[in-house]
């Protein structure tokens, strides 16, 4: 059971570079989420999607873009990376029901120099 | 404004001792509540959840939590801690005004288990 898979697991970027983080889930979940985790701040929602072709902004969306072209994949893009985006990024997914728990990937540790 | 507070940033407990982690929320209606655990280098794993009904809920790994509406709390407990319980614990709250399952997370409590 793969569950939620995030790639890559680690990445170092230079300021101004771009990159895309991939999240893939094999549970046929409708909802998918991207969070960032910073020390002492818990997880904060960046963007989310409630179905294929839909995306919406979360709590901290600035500097990020997302796409959900296929139901099983949710991509998070950084167009011009900044040091403030150094963080651990988590993807999660859930069934299309707000009472269902979210299932998390193992995270991507991203450092921006 | 809706908020989630975990008052204890760090807790040290001896192996075999009991553990209680606090979670308080600010919200006008009944939220739905989760506790997650994160081991180093891992994602978050669901321990337990509460939506309605019995206010004492049982979870995995011997954990339980009690919802107290009057105190706006959802505290996590374990009677006897094992060394493998060392991890970071997150309380998460969903709000009935949101249709999309979005959660607000507390800042987390780091649990250290000593021999």
């Amino acid at each position: 059971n793969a569950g939620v898979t995030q790639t890559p697991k680690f990445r170092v970027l230079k300021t101004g570079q771009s990159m895309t983080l991939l999240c893939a889930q094999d549970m046929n979940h409708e909802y998918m989420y991207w969070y960032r985790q910073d020390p002492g701040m818990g997880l904060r929602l960046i963007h989310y999607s409630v179905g294929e072709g839909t995306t919406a902004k979360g709590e901290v969306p600035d500097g990020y873009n997302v796409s959900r072209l296929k139901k099983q994949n949710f991509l998070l893009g950084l167009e011009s990376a900044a040091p403030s985006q150094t963080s651990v990024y988590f993807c999660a997914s859930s069934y299309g029901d707000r009472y269902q728990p979210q299932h998390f990937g193992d995270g991507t540790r991203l450092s921006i120099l | 404004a809706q908020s989630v507070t975990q008052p204890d940033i760090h807790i040290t407990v001896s192996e075999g001792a009991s553990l209680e982690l606090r979670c308080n929320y600010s919200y006008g209606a009944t939220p739905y509540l989760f506790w997650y655990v994160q081991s180093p280098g891992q994602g978050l794993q669901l321990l337990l959840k509460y939506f309605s009904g019995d206010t004492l809920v049982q979870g995995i790994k011997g954990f339980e939590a009690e919802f107290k509406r009057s105190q706006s709390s959802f505290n996590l407990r374990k009677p006897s801690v094992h060394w493998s319980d060392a991890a970071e614990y997150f309380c998460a709250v969903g709000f009935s005004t949101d249709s999309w399952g979005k959660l607000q997370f507390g800042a987390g409590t780091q649990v250290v288990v000593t021999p």
Side-chain angles (χ1 to χ4, degrees):
Chain A
N1 291 338
V4 178
T5 303
Q6 294 183 232
T7 53
K9 295 190 183 305
F10 304 94
R11 186 73 184 269
V12 178
L13 291 178
K14 294 181 179 179
T15 297
Q17 288 185 318
S18 63
M19 79 161 295
T20 300
L21 281 64
L22 172 63
C23 177
Q25 53 93 6
D26 62 0
M27 297 173 283
N28 201 35
H29 284 171
E30 286 294 332
Y31 295 178
M32 296 187 75
Y33 310 86
W34 274 108
Y35 294 92
R36 60 177 290 172
Q37 182 181 31
D38 301 293
M41 302 186 74
L43 278 74
R44 293 180 293 166
L45 184 64
I46 304 171
H47 285 281
Y48 64 102
S49 168
V50 299
E52 182 178 315
T54 72
T55 63
K57 294 180 180 179
E59 180 185 358
V60 288
D62 293 343
Y64 305 95
N65 56 75
V66 288
S67 64
R68 185 129 179 243
L69 300 179
K70 294 183 178 180
K71 184 177 183 178
Q72 64 267 34
N73 296 337
F74 194 29
L75 279 63
L76 177 71
L78 285 72
E79 291 184 344
S80 179
S84 60
Q85 295 177 302
T86 294
S87 187
V88 181
Y89 292 85
F90 286 98
C91 176
S93 68
S94 70
Y95 290 103
D97 177 341
R98 62 185 177 186
Y99 300 109
Q100 295 300 317
Q102 294 180 17
H103 299 256
F104 285 81
D106 286 341
T108 294
R109 186 172 295 276
L110 183 60
S111 293
I112 315 271
L113 305 178
Chain B
Q2 301 159 348
S3 65
V4 183
T5 303
Q6 292 182 246
D8 304 304
I9 296 172
H10 187 275
I11 286 180
T12 299
V13 59
S14 300
E15 192 168 13
S18 63
L19 175 68
E20 182 168 11
L21 304 181
R22 296 182 291 164
C23 175
N24 296 97
Y25 64 89
S26 173
Y27 183 52
T30 300
Y32 42 104
L33 301 153
F34 305 86
W35 274 101
Y36 284 88
V37 61
Q38 184 183 31
S39 298
Q42 302 291 314
L44 278 69
Q45 180 184 19
L46 179 70
L47 286 175
L48 47 77
K49 60 186 179 184
Y50 172 80
F51 300 137
S52 64
D54 192 347
T55 56
L56 184 63
V57 293
Q58 302 297 319
I60 63 171
K61 304 186 180 189
F63 285 90
E64 66 178 25
E66 185 171 14
F67 171 59
K68 291 186 177 180
R69 184 188 307 274
S70 62
Q71 298 178 17
S72 298
S73 68
F74 187 56
N75 293 350
L76 182 72
R77 298 192 292 255
K78 185 168 184 177
S80 178
V81 169
H82 188 262
W83 63 266
S84 60
D85 294 321
E88 189 157 21
Y89 293 78
F90 292 94
C91 177
V93 180
F95 302 102
S96 58
T97 51
D98 174 66
S99 301
W100 310 120
K102 300 197 299 292
L103 299 178
Q104 190 162 345
F105 284 81
T109 298
Q110 185 71 47
V111 172
V112 173
V113 180
T114 60

